[in-house]
Amino acid sequence: MNINPISSLQGTINIPSDKSISHRSVMFGSLALGKTTVSNFLMGEDCLSTIQCFRKLGVTIEIDAETVIVHGKGLHGLTAPKEVLDCGNSGTTVRLLSGILAAQGFSSTLTGDASIQKRPMQRVINPLGSMGATISAKDNNFCPMHISPSTLKGMTYHSPVASAQVKSCLLLAGLYADSPTTVTEPFISRDHTERMLAAFGAEIKREGTAVTVMPCKELYASDIIVPGDISSAAFFMVAALITPHSNITIKNVGINPTRRGILDVLIDMGGDITICNEKTICGEPVCDLNIKSSSLHGTVVEGSIIPALIDEIPALAVAACFAKGQTVIKDAAELKVKESNRIDALYSELSKMGADIIPTDDGLKINGMKPLKGAVLESFHDHRIAMSLAVAACNASSLSTIQNAECVKISFPNFFELLQTLTR
Ligand code: S3P
């Protein structure tokens, strides 16, 4: 994909629907009794992988444009898959599904693409094992993961990482356990599972960073309207802030407090961002965002806000390249185990463009305002790296080429078209 420098971004857009909420709507809808209608479902490849897996588990799922109808089978209604469950590029699919499958009365095997086969699964295999699950995996850590039938017991697990995938996996297994299951984490990670499971009738208690799920007899279908994904909005937020003479509005963006870190940090960096039309839809806060080009300054991003913007750090790194002074991102070692090693990817590719960027053990240091030049850039087949580099490339002095850019279809199939429609 070739990207030319642009002079401004103008207009109003809708961004794709939330990936985390779309996954969960199909998963929980499949486990509920009754029909769940999901409006504004994200038709990205990751969420389509989730649909394919649940179809193989015997669930009827209809797709009509952006509406998905899930004919739930109840907590005990899934059936043995005839083939391996292929989760594609989707960590959320593998990890959440492993918690569900650990409690079923049949065996199953989960796998995915080359990136998924390199991502750590010990973080779910070990705690599920403590609940009584029987799981074998390559080096006890990598897909394919083979899951055999087991009876699960409840437990309290202190997760060493703030990970919504780990937390959600264990809460889903906990629905089937003989006693309550509690997960604590160092900082609160995204809470879509807690919100949606409660809406489907599960008993969930929260206290600080601890979440408890009670053993559950049944979940009940509940219709869902998926908000726009702030993780996708982030690329356009940063693009409008750093491109001179820009003024854009992004409609219907989810601003769940466990997800809105990027919004708060960009405002803190001097970003001219106005939040309007705030409302709650299906238990999730939503708003429109107006963003104007701004003079940004560097900041320090660390600690409890990291899980609330972990997926937006690639976009934030690009903003930091255009901010006055130094930006420090720390406590973000999780970046190394995402769809690519995002610390390495951002360092190598933004350096090629002329950025002053230093990788650290748990993040990045970026000295902003070094002029960027066009370059041949690698996405490492990571959707968020491809889109972040595209935003940087729009503001470079010459043409850039992003290799393997088609990976944007994981979460944002029309990213390049939308960028084109706003470009002046
Ligand atoms: C997600 C949780 C996060 C995030 C991922 C989606 C989810 O991963 O990075 O894109 O939907 O639960 P971790 O749980 O590994 O932090």
Side-chain angles (χ1 to χ4, degrees):
M1 174 62 65
N2 289 334
I3 308 273
N4 274 302
I6 62 172
S7 47
S8 87
L9 289 171
Q10 305 279 340
T12 297
I13 52 168
N14 281 294
I15 33 96
S17 299
D18 192 279
K19 187 153 79 72
S20 293
I21 297 176
S22 295
H23 279 301
R24 285 159 174 80
S25 67
V26 167
M27 295 183 181
F28 305 173
S30 295
L31 298 179
L33 287 175
K35 187 174 90 177
T36 295
T37 301
V38 188
S39 310
N40 300 341
F41 185 84
L42 172 62
M43 294 295 166
E45 285 208 336
D46 271 7
C47 298
L48 295 174
S49 293
T50 291
I51 289 184
Q52 284 311 336
C53 288
F54 278 88
R55 283 179 170 158
K56 286 183 185 164
L57 290 162
V59 184
T60 302
I61 303 172
E62 296 170 71
I63 302 179
D64 179 11
E66 283 177 355
T67 300
V68 168
I69 301 169
V70 185
H71 297 270
K73 305 270 280 187
L75 270 184
H76 301 278
L78 300 181
T79 51
K82 293 196 180 67
E83 37 189 317
V84 168
L85 297 168
D86 183 353
C87 303
N89 192 244
S90 175
T92 306
T93 311
V94 180
R95 296 201 178 111
L96 271 61
L97 198 45
S98 68
I100 296 169
L101 293 174
Q104 305 302 315
F106 52 79
S107 297
S108 52
T109 303
L110 286 170
T111 194
D113 69 7
S115 153
I116 275 295
Q117 292 184 38
K118 282 192 224 127
R119 296 182 68 184
M121 297 300 151
Q122 210 160 37
R123 54 180 62 199
V124 291
I125 294 172
N126 286 352
L128 285 174
S130 303
M131 292 177 79
T134 315
I135 304 179
S136 60
K138 198 169 135 248
D139 298 333
N140 196 38
N141 197 15
F142 300 105
C143 279
M145 258 199 282
H146 184 71
I147 304 174
S148 308
S150 306
T151 308
L152 301 186
K153 47 187 192 293
M155 69 156 179
T156 295
Y157 181 64
H158 299 290
S159 175
V161 282
S163 160
Q165 293 178 354
V166 171
K167 173 176 66 176
S168 303
C169 164
L170 301 178
L171 295 177
L172 288 165
L175 293 171
Y176 295 90
D178 62 350
S179 58
T181 300
T182 300
V183 184
T184 71
E185 43 186 0
F187 300 116
I188 296 179
S189 63
R190 66 189 65 191
D191 67 356
H192 306 300
T193 294
E194 294 89 306
R195 288 174 189 242
M196 204 187 290
L197 274 184
F200 277 68
E203 201 180 330
I204 304 272
K205 289 183 198 144
R206 303 210 235 179
E207 213 183 310
T209 65
V211 186
T212 301
V213 65
M214 306 307 271
C216 182
K217 285 207 171 61
E218 284 298 352
L219 297 175
Y220 298 95
S222 180
D223 290 345
I224 292 166
I225 304 167
V226 186
D229 198 329
I230 190 164
S231 300
S232 296
F235 304 108
F236 284 95
M237 289 161 70
V238 171
L241 289 174
I242 66 174
T243 310
H245 318 297
S246 295
N247 183 347
I248 68 166
T249 298
I250 312 178
K251 298 193 63 87
N252 191 37
V253 183
I255 47 164
N256 178 313
T258 61
R259 294 287 300 283
R260 57 174 281 163
I262 187 67
L263 183 57
D264 297 327
V265 168
L266 289 174
I267 292 172
D268 187 48
M269 290 172 80
D272 182 348
I273 305 179
T274 311
I275 300 172
C276 12
N277 296 331
E278 275 190 77
K279 50 189 178 250
T280 300
I281 300 178
C282 289
E284 292 281 350
V286 175
C287 74
D288 298 338
L289 295 174
N290 175 256
I291 303 126
K292 299 193 180 91
S293 22
S294 306
S295 301
L296 301 178
H297 52 78
T299 188
V300 178
V301 187
E302 62 184 329
S304 62
I305 202 167
I306 293 293
L309 49 60
I310 188 73
D311 289 343
E312 292 70 70
I313 290 176
L316 179 61
V318 174
C321 291
F322 291 84
K324 206 170 154 209
Q326 189 174 63
T327 295
V328 180
I329 299 163
K330 42 184 169 180
D331 303 323
E334 280 291 296
L335 290 172
K336 296 179 188 169
V337 290
K338 294 296 178 189
E339 286 84 332
S340 69
N341 179 332
R342 289 183 175 159
I343 295 181
D344 285 357
L346 290 167
Y347 166 61
S348 66
E349 303 316 290
L350 291 173
S351 297
K352 276 185 201 166
M353 302 182 81
D356 182 353
I357 176 167
I358 304 146
T360 63
D361 271 355
D362 64 349
L364 293 160
K365 285 185 186 156
I366 298 162
N367 296 310
M369 297 305 236
K370 302 280 177 290
L372 299 193
K373 56 183 188 294
V376 176
L377 302 166
E378 177 52 54
S379 72
F380 302 98
H381 301 278
D382 180 336
H383 54 136
R384 300 199 202 282
I385 295 296
M387 292 185 272
S388 301
L389 294 176
V391 172
C394 286
N395 286 277
S397 57
S398 53
L399 174 83
S400 295
T401 303
I402 302 175
Q403 289 172 330
N404 299 307
E406 70 289 343
C407 58
V408 301
K409 62 182 184 282
I410 290 295
S411 62
F412 205 150
N414 64 335
F415 173 77
F416 291 108
E417 290 77 8
L418 214 47
L419 185 58
Q420 189 65 45
T421 62
L422 293 181
T423 301
R424 298 287 176 272

